[in-house]
């Protein structure tokens, strides 16, 4: 379950709340089974002033946090 | 820790009327019962939708005895709320068509059926023996209609010894979701405090739970805030008691509570107060959200900020103060033993 509060996206999962800021929410919304980490980081690099390496690492770090809490699964083709 | 602007889950005890009279009932339900009038329940749903509640849990008593039950469910589903209700199963055969019709709203609809063991004898520890077959039939009927069904199991001194057998039995029934509910000293449960599980019995369940989940592939829900202590250090994600944080409870008198297990701490009433106002401004709710107020073992605990003292209802009922440590918490227990 999720809902927006001000500029934050609040995820309610397993009696826990996870609060996502604007950038995290953008990544969360790309966790749709279609995007790869690379395509996510390309989108971020084209939108914001950030290096490819930094964007990639930040996204990986965030996805790992979601993975740890079983909020996402990794799909392999 | 972030405090949401409104509860995610709203529980509403729409009636305390019941076709059973179980000795442990936390709602103290009986054949007469009380109820929230339909119009008032509708106005509660209106506010719930307006303030962003996502899940509505309708409880009793036996909710299927509530005259306008299906209209109420339908109204909530149309408003975009997910609806969960629980039943002892006896009236499911009579109402299965009406339950099935609720599916058309494409919202999440979940039904919990009370079943305490894999045999009539074990099930009847607290409940009439003939309700065993009724519960099994109800589960089957709901599954045939593709309704999301889970089993609600009140733990007792007998069934905790045969949980794996029970899980095997549930697997045969294709039940993949069960909730373990400890007997709580509320309602008529107050009269049976000796039937509460001991901390050691509790810990046994929690120690074995993950093994059972892996073995039987059944989701086993339990919700003790200090459960994380039974996980390896790197897998610990403490979360607080849902009271004052995620859930809110309204009883059949219209009184509002942080949760169903804090039924001697009314915060307001739906006839005079708004849910939103009580949620945001009740001094008790604020206290529940402030870990620095916690007493006893919690006052120096490293997990205080995230766990916030464990079950506030148990602290209130067993220690007489909702700011005390949950007496079932392993850390609090250790300190007490010392």
């Amino acid at each position: 379950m999720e809902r927006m509060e001000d500029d934050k996206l609040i995820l309610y999962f397993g009696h826990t709340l996870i609060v996502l800021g604007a950038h995290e929410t953008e990544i969360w919304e790309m966790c749709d089974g279609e995007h790869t980490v690379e395509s996510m980081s390309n989108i971020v690099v084209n939108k914001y002033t950030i290096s490819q390496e930094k964007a990639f690492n930040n996204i990986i770090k965030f996805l790992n946090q979601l993975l740890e809490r079983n909020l996402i699964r990794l799909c392999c083709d | 820790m972030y405090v949401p602007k409104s509860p995610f889950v709203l529980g509403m005890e729409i009636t305390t009327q019941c076709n059973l009279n179980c000795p442990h009932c936390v709602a103290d339900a009986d054949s007469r019962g009380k109820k929230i009038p339909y119009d008032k329940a509708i106005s509660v749903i209106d506010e719930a939708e307006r303030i962003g509640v996502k899940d509505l849990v309708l409880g009793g008593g036996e909710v299927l005895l509530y005259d306008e039950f299906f209209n109420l469910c339908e109204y909530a589903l149309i408003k975009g709320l997910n609806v969960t209700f629980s039943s002892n199963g006896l009236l499911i055969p009579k109402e299965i068509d009406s339950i099935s019709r609720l599916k058309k709203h494409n919202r999440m609809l979940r039904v919990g059926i009370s079943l305490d063991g894999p045999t009539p004898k074990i099930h009847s520890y607290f409940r009439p023996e003939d309700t065993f077959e009724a519960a099994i039939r109800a589960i089957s009927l709901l599954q045939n209609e593709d309704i999301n069904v889970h089993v609600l199991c009140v733990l007792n001194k007998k069934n905790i010894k045969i949980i794996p057998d029970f899980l095997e039995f549930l697997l045969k029934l294709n039940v993949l979701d069960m909730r373990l509910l400890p007997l709580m000293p509320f309602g008529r449960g107050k009269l049976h405090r000796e039937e509460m599980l001991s901390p050691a019995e509790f810990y046994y369940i929690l120690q074995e739970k993950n093994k059972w989940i892996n073995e039987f592939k059944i989701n086993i829900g339990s919700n003790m805030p200090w459960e994380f202590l039974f996980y390896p250090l790197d897998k610990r994600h403490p979360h607080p008691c849902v009271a004052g944080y995620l859930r809110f409870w309204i009883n059949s008198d219209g009184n509002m509570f942080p949760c169903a297990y804090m039924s001697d701490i009314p915060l307001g009433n739906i006839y005079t107060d708004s849910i939103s106002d009580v949620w945001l401004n009740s001094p008790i709710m604020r206290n529940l959200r402030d870990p620095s107020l916690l007493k006893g073992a919690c006052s120096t605990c490293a997990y205080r900020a995230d766990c916030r003292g464990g079950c506030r209802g148990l602290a209130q009922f067993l220690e007489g103060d909702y700011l005390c440590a949950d007496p079932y918490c392993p850390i609090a227990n250790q300190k007490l033993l010392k």
Side-chain angles (χ1 to χ4, degrees):
Chain A
M1 279 188 287
E2 57 184 64
R3 75 175 183 220
M4 288 300 294
E5 290 196 359
D6 300 325
D7 59 342
K8 298 179 185 69
L9 181 70
I10 317 296
L11 307 179
Y12 172 39
F13 176 79
H15 300 293
T16 307
L17 286 187
I18 294 164
V19 183
L20 305 184
H23 295 150
E24 291 167 323
T25 302
E26 282 188 55
I27 304 299
W28 168 253
E29 283 169 355
M30 283 192 266
C31 296
D32 55 3
E34 301 292 324
H35 288 83
T36 62
V37 179
E38 198 178 350
S39 69
M40 288 179 189
S41 72
N42 286 338
I43 290 168
V44 169
V45 166
N46 287 330
K47 195 169 173 185
Y48 302 102
T49 313
I50 185 172
S51 71
Q52 184 87 33
E53 190 189 358
K54 194 170 178 192
F56 190 86
N57 288 340
N58 286 351
I59 291 168
I60 288 281
K61 192 176 163 193
F62 176 58
L63 293 178
N64 273 331
Q65 288 169 2
L66 297 177
L67 203 58
E68 208 176 289
R69 289 172 175 263
N70 294 320
L71 283 167
I72 56 167
R73 278 184 294 123
L74 294 180
C75 327
C76 304
D77 289 328
Chain B
M1 187 169 282
Y2 187 81
V3 176
K5 292 186 172 176
S6 63
F8 267 76
V9 182
L10 177 68
M12 182 158 48
E13 182 186 72
I14 51 175
T15 180
T16 55
Q17 188 183 14
C18 191
N19 44 7
L20 299 177
N21 194 7
C22 302
H24 67 303
C25 180
V26 290
D28 200 6
D30 57 27
S31 59
R32 298 181 309 279
K34 290 174 281 186
K35 63 178 246 181
I36 297 179
Y38 179 68
D39 289 349
K40 197 65 210 170
I42 288 291
S43 73
V44 168
I45 292 172
D46 282 337
E47 186 183 359
E49 185 249 352
R50 200 167 56 244
I51 63 178
V53 169
K54 294 292 175 188
D55 266 8
L56 178 68
V57 179
L58 297 174
E62 172 55 53
V63 293
L64 295 174
L65 290 171
Y66 188 86
D67 289 337
E68 305 89 349
F69 180 68
F70 292 103
N71 289 339
L72 198 64
C73 287
E74 190 146 25
Y75 190 80
L77 291 163
I78 289 169
K79 286 279 180 182
L81 301 179
N82 300 319
V83 172
T84 302
F85 68 86
S86 51
S87 168
N88 56 38
L90 288 168
L91 292 171
I92 296 284
K94 186 181 156 213
E95 303 292 1
I96 191 66
D97 291 340
S98 301
I99 297 171
S100 189
R101 276 197 288 275
L102 296 174
K103 287 190 303 185
K104 70 180 178 199
H105 298 290
N106 287 327
R107 300 294 312 177
M108 197 181 279
L109 173 68
R110 288 170 289 207
V111 183
I113 297 293
S114 301
L115 181 65
D116 291 349
T119 66
K121 201 173 171 195
I122 294 169
H123 173 72
S124 66
Y125 190 85
F126 288 128
R127 304 174 193 277
E129 195 163 325
D130 56 357
T131 58
F132 176 79
E133 288 302 332
I136 304 295
R137 181 156 182 238
I139 290 167
S140 168
L141 287 170
L142 291 163
Q143 287 172 330
N144 289 344
E145 294 298 323
D146 213 16
I147 308 276
N148 190 332
V149 59
H150 56 270
V151 157
L152 301 167
C153 168
V154 175
L155 295 168
N156 61 53
K157 303 275 183 190
K158 202 181 242 178
N159 65 12
I160 58 163
K161 293 175 184 152
I162 51 93
I163 299 279
D165 295 343
F166 192 18
L167 291 167
E168 206 171 322
F169 176 77
L170 292 180
L171 211 49
K172 285 181 190 152
L173 297 179
N174 284 319
V175 171
L176 299 177
D177 196 354
M178 84 178 305
R179 315 277 156 83
L180 297 177
L181 310 169
L183 176 76
M184 291 294 205
F186 317 117
R188 286 200 289 275
K190 274 182 192 170
L191 306 173
H192 299 279
R193 275 175 65 157
E194 74 286 355
E195 292 289 349
M196 286 181 73
L197 299 189
S198 68
E201 287 167 328
F202 240 129
Y203 303 161
Y204 157 73
I205 299 283
L206 297 177
Q207 270 155 356
E208 297 296 308
K209 193 178 97 169
N210 281 335
K211 194 181 85 186
W212 293 335
I213 290 172
N214 288 330
E215 188 179 342
F216 295 98
K217 311 291 180 219
I218 291 179
N219 176 39
I220 305 172
S222 55
N223 186 30
M224 295 319 274
W226 35 262
E227 256 187 73
F228 68 90
L229 293 168
F230 291 85
Y231 297 142
L233 271 174
D234 61 333
K235 301 246 184 267
R236 290 183 181 179
H237 299 295
H239 61 78
C241 172
V242 292
Y245 174 59
L246 290 170
R247 290 184 175 234
F248 203 62
W249 177 252
I250 297 167
N251 77 359
S252 56
D253 289 321
N255 288 323
M256 306 179 194
F257 303 93
C259 93
Y261 295 150
M262 300 185 78
S263 54
D264 64 346
I265 306 182
L267 309 172
N269 190 287
I270 53 172
Y271 295 96
T272 50
D273 307 297
S274 79
I275 297 167
S276 182
D277 184 40
V278 171
W279 177 267
L280 295 170
N281 300 317
S282 155
I284 293 170
M285 294 294 263
R286 289 183 177 188
N287 288 348
L288 286 168
R289 294 166 186 151
D290 183 352
S292 72
L293 299 177
L294 289 166
K295 300 171 184 172
C298 296
S299 62
T300 53
C301 181
Y303 295 110
R304 179 177 75 162
D306 294 320
C307 160
R308 295 199 220 169
C311 175
R312 301 294 75 220
L314 282 174
Q316 172 67 24
F317 272 93
L318 299 179
E319 302 291 320
D321 183 348
Y322 64 85
L323 293 173
C324 280
D326 175 348
Y328 276 70
C329 161
I331 293 176
N333 239 307
Q334 219 171 30
K335 290 189 179 172
L336 280 176
L337 290 174
K338 279 179 187 170

